[in-house]
Amino acid sequence: MQKKWKSAAGKLAMIVLGNLLYALAVTVFIVPNQLITGGTTGLALFFNRTAGIPISAFVSVFNITMFLLGAWVLGKQFAVTTVMSTVIYPLLLGILERAGVTGIVMEERLVAVLYAGCLIGAGIGIVMRAGASTGGMDIPALILKKVKNVNVSMTIYLCDCVILGLQMMNSDAHAILYGILLIAVYTLVLDKALMLGGARMQVKVISREYAAINRLLAERVDCGTSLIHMETGYLHKEQDMVLAVISSRDLPKVNQLVLDADPEAFMIISQINEVRGRGFTLNKVYRGGEQKDMV
């Protein structure tokens, strides 16, 4: 029970932090530098600049409306994972507005685009890593996917284009370009944030000295290995191939160990986005039952 409470508290903290970063990006960089963007925030900026509606008020009404619609169409499980961001993001926006947080006006708006994109991408990424949804414009896309089987990413892309188009009426050519760049930056940062900490290097070693290499990897690098039986394509010799998954910082060490054991070893090295299981998401287990936390 205590572990469950700690896990829930950790996820809540991540959701709050992610939404806080998003709110700071809007308040500190996007609004004072007259940037445009997509999503719910882009709609809020449009109505703020054309009708004077406070950003936090519009986001609150829109998010709650979309949340109720999503809960009705998509069910309870969706509601549970979305309700926190639906409430927390507009709440934090309102707090920052009322606290008089002053934005930073950049001489070069491109710098503001980079700062805002990094904050938004990191914020959304943290929320998603906590297993929650950011809600907003994601919800119509999910509804269309369920009802009409329309591609989610395509729907979000089209919505962003429409929202950018609305803001073009009150923006110059530079702002339009900056808006496109902002979306590109936070999309890139979001991808990196989702993969952060989970990426590893996969190493396959084909060598006559596979037994020695297998032993060296276990003793010197402290990583698990697998021996895969294989047959060479030209000479049709049967032997074992060593497979290991390591962190990127261990790659130079592994390279040197393999080459010291067999200078003619054939190595295949590739990056993988996520690894789950013993030694990564579960503690390592050694002979004798000793456990060791993951590094």
Side-chain angles (χ1 to χ4, degrees):
M1 182 62 72
Q2 188 177 7
K3 287 183 179 180
K4 288 183 178 180
W5 279 109
K6 285 184 179 179
S7 176
K11 288 183 178 181
L12 178 60
M14 290 177 67
I15 293 170
V16 172
L17 175 61
N19 281 284
L20 177 60
L21 292 177
Y22 199 159
L24 283 172
V26 174
T27 307
V28 178
F29 295 108
I30 292 179
V31 173
N33 291 282
Q34 296 293 302
L35 299 176
I36 64 176
T37 186
T40 307
T41 303
L43 273 179
L45 289 170
F46 170 74
F47 285 104
N48 174 259
R49 290 164 183 168
T50 56
I53 300 173
I55 296 174
S56 58
F58 180 89
V59 171
S60 297
V61 173
F62 186 86
N63 274 7
I64 291 172
T65 303
M66 290 296 102
F67 170 75
L68 293 175
L69 180 62
W72 178 46
V73 176
L74 301 174
K76 293 181 179 179
Q77 185 176 357
F78 164 83
V80 171
T81 59
T82 309
V83 64
M84 287 184 284
S85 289
T86 300
V87 175
I88 291 173
Y89 176 55
L91 177 64
L92 290 173
L93 270 177
I95 291 173
L96 292 175
E97 287 176 350
R98 289 177 177 79
V101 175
T102 56
I104 302 174
V105 179
M106 300 288 187
E107 291 185 11
E108 178 51 67
R109 282 196 289 177
L110 180 58
V111 179
V113 167
L114 296 176
Y115 276 120
C118 289
L119 285 174
I120 292 173
I124 297 175
I126 290 171
V127 172
M128 288 185 172
R129 284 178 71 97
S133 166
T134 54
M137 290 303 299
D138 294 349
I139 298 174
L142 293 172
I143 291 174
L144 285 175
K145 173 65 176 178
K146 181 176 181 179
V147 176
K148 298 292 184 180
N149 197 30
V150 180
N151 183 271
V152 173
S153 59
M154 180 59 69
T155 303
I156 294 175
Y157 175 76
L158 291 175
C159 288
D160 281 340
C161 288
V162 171
I163 293 168
L164 286 176
L166 289 173
Q167 295 172 85
M168 287 178 186
M169 294 186 292
N170 299 308
S171 304
D172 55 30
H174 290 87
I176 296 168
L177 177 60
Y178 289 142
I180 296 171
L181 288 175
L182 177 59
I183 293 174
V185 170
Y186 77 62
T187 300
L188 178 63
V189 175
L190 170 60
D191 289 339
K192 296 297 182 182
L194 291 175
M195 292 189 295
L196 186 65
R200 293 290 189 274
M201 305 302 294
Q202 178 180 258
V203 180
K204 297 176 182 176
V205 183
I206 301 172
S207 167
R208 293 168 295 181
E209 303 295 332
Y210 66 87
I213 292 170
N214 181 60
R215 187 185 68 255
L216 286 170
L217 290 178
E219 294 175 354
R220 304 281 185 87
V221 186
D222 190 26
C223 69
T225 59
S226 297
L227 295 177
I228 303 174
H229 192 68
M230 55 158 286
E231 179 182 337
T232 61
Y234 183 67
L235 297 176
H236 299 284
K237 289 184 177 179
E238 294 188 2
Q239 66 179 68
D240 287 336
M241 175 177 66
V242 182
L243 171 65
V245 178
I246 61 174
S247 65
S248 56
R249 68 175 180 269
D250 286 331
L251 183 58
K253 185 177 181 179
V254 169
N255 267 323
Q256 192 59 50
L257 286 173
V258 171
L259 292 176
D260 287 344
D262 181 6
E264 296 184 356
F266 184 79
M267 299 180 65
I268 304 171
I269 302 169
S270 56
Q271 182 172 341
I272 49 180
N273 293 333
E274 186 174 359
V275 185
R276 306 191 69 83
R278 183 68 63 189
F280 295 94
T281 56
L282 300 173
N283 292 339
K284 293 180 179 179
V285 176
Y286 299 90
R287 290 180 182 177
E290 178 189 357
Q291 287 196 3
K292 182 179 179 180
D293 290 339
M294 295 169 293
V295 177

